[in-house]
Amino acid sequence: QVQLVESGGGLVQAGGSLRLSCAPSGRTFSSKAMGWFRQAPGKEREWLASIFWSGGGTYYADSVKGRFTISGDNAKNTLFLQMTSLKPGDTAVYFCAAIPPYARTFDYWGQGTQVTVSS
């Protein structure tokens, strides 16, 4: 079973920046896309951004477009999320996930990393 591990979360003031990282905890794996999600207390999990390795296409939710940038290295199974102009409303647990080559859904998930933005 593939397990992803996120890192880079923490406490930051509004207007600040953070860079999240995601990598497999054990064996490497193949995927056709990876993405970032977040879940704030009392709210449903929200998709933020995806990157498709074939062609390098990136997609963003309106809530983060222009502030967050997704990037990664398919060969190393690593994924990043550069977050800028952070707002208190960005406070949440952030998760990375991957879509296997044979799938259409995010089947591999990490445990999440906490991001807290203070006002």
Side-chain angles (χ1 to χ4, degrees), residues 32-36 47-60 69-72 74 79-80 99 106:
K32 62 182 178 185
M34 294 185 73
W36 288 98
W47 167 78
L48 300 177
S50 296
I51 182 167
F52 285 76
W53 302 123
S54 177
T58 56
Y59 305 88
Y60 297 91
T69 302
I70 189 171
S71 62
N74 186 25
L79 185 71
F80 306 100
I99 303 177
F106 288 93

Side-chain angles (χ1 to χ4, degrees), residues 97-119:
I99 303 177
Y102 52 82
R104 296 186 177 184
T105 58
F106 288 93
D107 290 350
Y108 303 145
W109 289 87
Q111 295 298 309
T113 185
Q114 177 70 46
V115 172
T116 302
V117 184
S118 63
S119 57

Side-chain angles (χ1 to χ4, degrees), residues 36-48 63-64 67-68 87-95 109 111-117:
W36 288 98
F37 294 74
R38 69 185 179 190
Q39 187 166 20
K43 295 187 178 180
E44 294 188 353
R45 186 170 294 185
E46 174 190 14
W47 167 78
L48 300 177
S63 59
V64 303
R67 299 189 299 124
F68 292 7
K87 309 172 183 178
D90 294 318
T91 295
V93 177
Y94 285 68
F95 301 87
W109 289 87
Q111 295 298 309
T113 185
Q114 177 70 46
V115 172
T116 302
V117 184

Side-chain angles (χ1 to χ4, degrees), residues 4 19-24 28-34 36 51-54 56 58 70-81 98:
L4 303 174
R19 185 175 188 245
L20 304 183
S21 300
C22 171
T28 58
F29 61 96
S30 297
S31 68
K32 62 182 178 185
M34 294 185 73
W36 288 98
I51 182 167
F52 285 76
W53 302 123
S54 177
T58 56
I70 189 171
S71 62
D73 186 329
N74 186 25
K76 298 180 180 179
N77 292 160
T78 54
L79 185 71
F80 306 100
L81 186 67

